Amino acid sequence: MKLHEYQAKEILARYGLKSPRGGIASSPEEAEAIAKKLKLEAMAIKAQIHAGGRGKAGGIKLARTPAEAKKAAAEIMAKPLVTPQTGPEGRQAHFVLVEEGIEIEKEIYLAMTIDRGRGLPVIITSAEGGVEIEHIAEYSPEKIVRALIDPTAGVFPYVARKVARAIGFQKKMVNRFAQVAMSVSRAFLETDASLVEVNPLGITKDGEFIAIDAKFSIDDNALFRQKDLAKLRDVREEDPLEARARESRISYVRMDGEIGCLVNGAGLAMATMDIIKLHKGEPANFLDVGGGADEAQVQEAFGIILEDSRVKSILVNIFGGIMRCDVIARGIISAVKKSSLKVPLIVRLEGTKVEEGRELLQESGLEITAAADMKDAAEKAVAAAGNGKGPA
């Protein structure tokens, strides 16, 4: 679950990391009022959307008077912002952060995330702040410093000091940066975050660290114990189909392809996407109905897939273990009848009650193409998506 910049800064403030003075405005008039109330003489008006690249898209504007703040907010909120992370449809800013302009001497990159290969939290920092970490990794990888973190203890002081020296800090600034790194570590671990990124982490002429921008992502699987943070979810920023799937306890991630996938089990779902790619197709989604789905969930999964107008064929790939193939078959039949399916449907069933499931599909009288195995299923789904017709 992603949070907005202002929410991320509010959380970091609880752990002692300062950010510029400011306030949230849901209209240009509110932006003007905030600038007047806080008596801001230089400010940044920043779109609050769950996407990077806001500045290049016109989502961050500078202002020096309340009137300019109002004008900047109106321009930002007038139309969707298109960034590399939003797709061509863009993302609408429903409110803006009006924030005091701060004179910065130096900018640092600081983040914590999970090193999937090691299975541990990792602190990532660089003296090249204000630049996307992907850009630094590509053009100046030697400027990135990483340190694995003990998840039970966070960043030890000696580790934080070692990292500080590695990016060029000296003397008293070493301990100051170490305190910031340890604060970010506590925030990361105590909120069950999957990412905390402060970029840039500004340093004032007085040597004070300030979060100029911040990102926070919370592990969805931990929200049951982060109830206060769960309330911060902004569903307007999420894909409507992904939000719908979450309500039905279906694991769904929308992608950019044309072959809809309905699979049980995350591993099989990933393997299905891989084999579609191997046969020169593009999956439209990751969708795992889980091992214990019932007919209603299967129907809902079909409905979600069919809501995506880019889908040109559907591949159902089921291995019946806990989930029986006959239950899946009934769900497929009900979903097809209710949806007036207009795209080719390819089904591969294996496992528990597979013969019963295949028989149900065959006797349904519906235009459903059976596949013998995963290879056969992928070939037929890709062919169907390519010519807009069912496979022969």
Side-chain angles (χ1 to χ4, degrees), residues 56-298:
K56 296 177 182 178
I60 299 178
K61 296 182 181 293
L62 302 180
R64 291 194 172 276
T65 66
E68 288 183 6
K70 178 181 179 180
K71 181 174 181 291
E75 291 173 352
I76 290 171
M77 301 173 74
K79 61 182 179 179
L81 300 173
V82 179
T83 82
Q85 296 182 15
T86 65
E89 68 277 8
R91 193 73 59 79
Q92 180 66 47
H94 297 284
F95 43 89
V96 296
L97 173 60
V98 180
E99 196 167 66
E100 182 180 19
I102 301 291
E103 187 175 342
I104 297 299
E105 293 285 313
K106 186 173 177 56
E107 296 181 339
I108 301 297
Y109 179 93
L110 176 62
M112 281 197 68
T113 187
I114 302 295
D115 184 322
R116 302 295 177 183
R118 302 290 186 88
L120 289 170
V122 59
I123 187 169
I124 304 173
T125 188
S126 172
E128 300 291 324
V131 180
E132 293 178 0
I133 194 65
E134 294 83 2
H135 180 87
I136 304 173
E138 182 175 357
Y139 295 103
S140 304
E142 74 282 357
K143 295 181 179 180
I144 298 177
V145 176
R146 297 177 175 84
L148 293 173
I149 304 305
D150 183 340
T152 63
V155 178
F156 288 110
Y158 80 91
V159 173
R161 290 193 294 269
K162 183 178 179 180
V163 168
R165 294 188 185 97
I167 60 172
F169 285 117
Q170 297 179 358
K171 298 181 179 179
K172 63 181 180 181
M173 292 303 293
V174 170
N175 286 330
R176 289 185 181 181
F177 177 81
Q179 289 297 322
V180 172
M182 289 188 289
S183 294
V184 171
S185 168
R186 290 196 300 274
F188 179 87
L189 295 173
E190 292 178 12
T191 61
D192 289 302
S194 57
L195 171 69
V196 175
E197 181 183 77
V198 185
N199 185 34
L201 173 62
I203 307 175
T204 68
K205 62 182 179 180
D206 297 325
E208 184 177 34
F209 286 91
I210 295 184
I212 304 301
D213 195 0
K215 293 181 181 177
F216 236 98
S217 293
I218 309 299
D219 186 343
D220 283 338
N221 295 312
L223 289 176
F224 72 95
R225 63 185 179 210
Q226 299 288 350
K227 292 183 172 57
D228 288 342
L229 296 180
K231 296 175 184 177
L232 302 180
R233 184 187 292 275
D234 187 348
V235 295
R236 296 172 299 183
E237 288 290 317
E238 299 180 6
D239 184 292
L241 295 182
E242 292 182 8
R244 174 179 168 182
R246 186 178 63 252
E247 292 297 319
S248 300
R249 303 187 306 280
I250 295 171
S251 296
Y252 172 87
V253 178
R254 194 176 185 184
M255 302 174 72
D256 296 326
E258 70 285 341
I259 300 173
C261 303
L262 193 159
V263 191
N264 69 319
L268 184 59
M270 289 186 285
T272 301
M273 292 191 293
D274 285 345
I275 200 166
I276 287 172
K277 295 276 287 186
L278 182 65
H279 287 84
K280 312 302 182 186
E282 292 292 337
N285 61 268
F286 169 100
L287 192 154
D288 171 20
V289 292
D294 54 24
E295 288 185 38
Q297 281 181 300
V298 174

